[in-house]
Amino acid sequence: MDWEDGGATLFTGDKRFDVLVSPYSNGIKTSAILTAASTIGELESLNIKDKIILLHGEIAREQLMPKNFVFYNPEDHQKTISLLENSGAKAIIAATGRNASLAGGVYPFPLIEDGDFDIPSVYMTEEEGLTLLPHIGKEFKLASISKRIMGNGCNVVARNRSESNSRIVITAHIDAKKGTPGAIDNATGVVILLLLAELLVEYKGDKQIEIVALNGEDYYAVPGQMMYIAENHGAFDEIYLNINIDGAGYKTGETAFSLFELPDKISQKVTQIVDLLPDISEGVQWPQGDHSIFVQYGRPAIAVSSQWFINNIDSQDITHTAKDNMDIVDMNKLPTIAKAIKKIILEIQGNE
Ligand SMILES: [Zn+2]
């Protein structure tokens, strides 16, 4: 599903409030009484049928996982969504703060970003939410112009000819959030995939190489990832190792190779290789990326990213914003990373 954002307005009388359309929301033009909830308990106790509900404070602290996002979906998110869906509310206004680890660097962040959730919603800053609160019980006019457009997408999967049914899968997501150029997240990852395709032209190792541009990591329903899982149903055991590149090549700091559940011998080998390279070091584990899919299926994985982003994952204001552009990329790092990955691929073979 693609989405067209035509902007939104919110008025009571002639007082206007700043609101943004939630990505992939349905549009609406309505007039209704404003009510508010800051906790799940409060939401549960209110009758919000035919009203506009302002979600603020604790209940709007972190982005609600999309209904059909299966990899991580906390119970309180599911509860909030089901209360809203059964409430008969006309529309939702969310007042949100900063939450970079789950929503990227955007402020305010859309509390709801889900093409499978049908109640129209808009969002605003925490500060704007505070100016709205005294007007509870008043009649509001909300107009939100938002259009869902169905479309097609695909993953790009390339494998070398190989007798082996044991694969090294190298992944990078090819999509970017709307409204960002997506240089670090994740054009650099795609460049490294392409460099590896070229570097591995003469490859004759034991393992099959599979290069995958996944289409959907930054898209609410992760359709490319779901399709990859469906296509590999029952075959994840054939995956020897996943190497996922996401967020690599930031101008400041080193490249981080984070290791997930690697068998000892591979882990030692990778650590040796990484230790010898001046611009690359081992990083701590981080879960927000496609390597997590492989790890959840019990496969070893290496995530390749920038140390700076891992260290600042909760406070950075770059990813998913206009700031994620070419100015923050050190292009020289990309071939170095591609060569390091090639070295790892060649040297870990036969190390079972
Ligand atoms: Zn990403």
Side-chain angles (χ1 to χ4, degrees):
M1 183 190 290
D2 197 1
W3 165 64
E4 243 168 48
D5 177 1
T9 55
L10 178 70
F11 283 97
T12 185
D14 54 11
K15 181 153 176 51
R16 181 177 173 155
F17 298 85
D18 286 333
V19 286
L20 299 158
V21 182
S22 304
Y24 306 97
S25 170
N26 280 318
I28 191 169
K29 196 168 180 199
T30 191
S31 181
I33 301 291
L34 182 72
T35 178
S38 64
T39 63
I40 291 178
E42 215 176 330
L43 181 62
E44 207 164 10
S45 68
L46 289 170
N47 177 4
I48 58 172
K49 190 169 160 37
D50 295 325
K51 291 181 179 162
I52 297 172
I53 176 83
L54 166 66
L55 301 176
H56 64 107
E58 188 190 310
I59 200 169
R61 196 182 60 235
E62 59 187 30
Q63 189 169 53
L64 296 171
M65 286 296 137
K67 283 165 64 180
N68 296 319
F69 189 82
V70 294
F71 303 105
Y72 166 76
N73 214 323
E75 254 168 50
D76 55 332
H77 291 202
Q78 296 176 42
K79 174 104 198 223
T80 304
I81 291 288
S82 99
L83 284 172
L84 289 168
E85 284 191 319
N86 293 315
S87 69
K90 269 194 173 163
I92 298 160
I93 302 167
T96 62
R98 285 180 197 278
N99 195 322
S101 61
L102 285 171
V106 288
Y107 175 69
F109 65 85
L111 183 67
I112 298 165
E113 180 169 344
D114 187 357
D116 298 312
F117 180 84
D118 290 335
I119 304 170
S121 74
V122 294
Y123 64 108
M124 58 171 46
T125 62
E126 252 168 355
E127 290 85 359
E128 194 73 347
L130 288 175
T131 67
L132 189 57
L133 269 174
H135 299 279
I136 285 173
K138 288 187 188 162
E139 180 98 9
F140 275 75
K141 282 195 170 69
L142 173 65
S144 164
I145 302 163
S146 181
K147 202 168 145 199
R148 293 174 171 180
I149 304 152
M150 295 314 293
N152 293 305
C154 43
N155 294 329
V156 183
V157 183
R159 293 178 182 172
N160 69 320
R161 274 195 201 91
S162 169
E163 303 285 291
S164 176
N165 61 358
S166 178
R167 279 179 285 153
I168 296 172
V169 182
I170 315 165
T171 51
H173 71 84
I174 200 168
D175 62 306
K177 278 275 184 219
K178 249 184 152 52
T180 172
I184 289 277
D185 186 17
N186 189 24
T188 52
V190 178
V191 168
I192 293 167
L193 277 191
L194 293 169
L195 289 173
L196 277 163
E198 197 172 321
L199 286 170
L200 293 168
V201 161
E202 307 284 330
Y203 170 83
K204 299 234 167 16
D206 296 338
K207 307 290 173 203
Q208 184 172 50
I209 303 293
E210 183 181 71
I211 292 177
V212 188
L214 283 165
N215 197 343
E217 198 267 352
D218 270 325
Y219 181 81
Y220 71 89
V222 289
Q225 283 71 356
M226 296 305 282
M227 171 168 273
Y228 186 84
I229 288 167
E231 284 178 339
N232 285 279
H233 183 73
F236 268 85
D237 285 349
E238 294 169 3
I239 296 168
Y240 181 72
L241 173 68
N242 165 240
I243 301 171
N244 181 49
I245 310 138
D246 193 351
Y250 186 60
K251 60 183 180 183
T252 307
E254 294 195 344
T255 298
F257 280 45
S258 305
L259 315 184
F260 297 79
E261 316 297 331
L262 297 194
D264 284 349
K265 278 186 175 169
I266 300 185
S267 169
Q268 283 163 15
K269 197 83 208 169
V270 172
T271 311
Q272 267 174 26
I273 294 171
V274 166
D275 281 351
L276 289 175
L277 295 165
D279 294 332
I280 300 177
S281 56
E282 197 178 325
V284 296
Q285 296 185 341
W286 52 282
Q288 301 93 328
D290 289 331
H291 50 279
S292 296
I293 296 170
F294 295 88
V295 176
Q296 284 190 12
Y297 275 87
R299 306 322 301 154
I302 301 173
V304 178
S305 191
S306 300
Q307 200 75 58
W308 188 92
F309 278 98
I310 300 177
N311 293 342
N312 295 286
I313 210 157
D314 294 319
S315 57
Q316 54 87 16
D317 62 354
I318 294 171
T319 54
H320 304 171
T321 77
K323 290 185 192 167
D324 183 3
N325 59 47
M326 287 296 291
D327 294 345
I328 63 167
V329 177
D330 178 353
M331 294 297 275
N332 294 320
K333 285 183 172 153
L334 309 188
T336 309
I337 297 167
K339 284 181 197 158
I341 293 173
K342 179 188 177 183
K343 197 169 166 64
I344 288 171
I345 289 171
L346 294 182
E347 292 197 15
I348 60 173
Q349 312 236 358
N351 266 311
E352 281 148 292

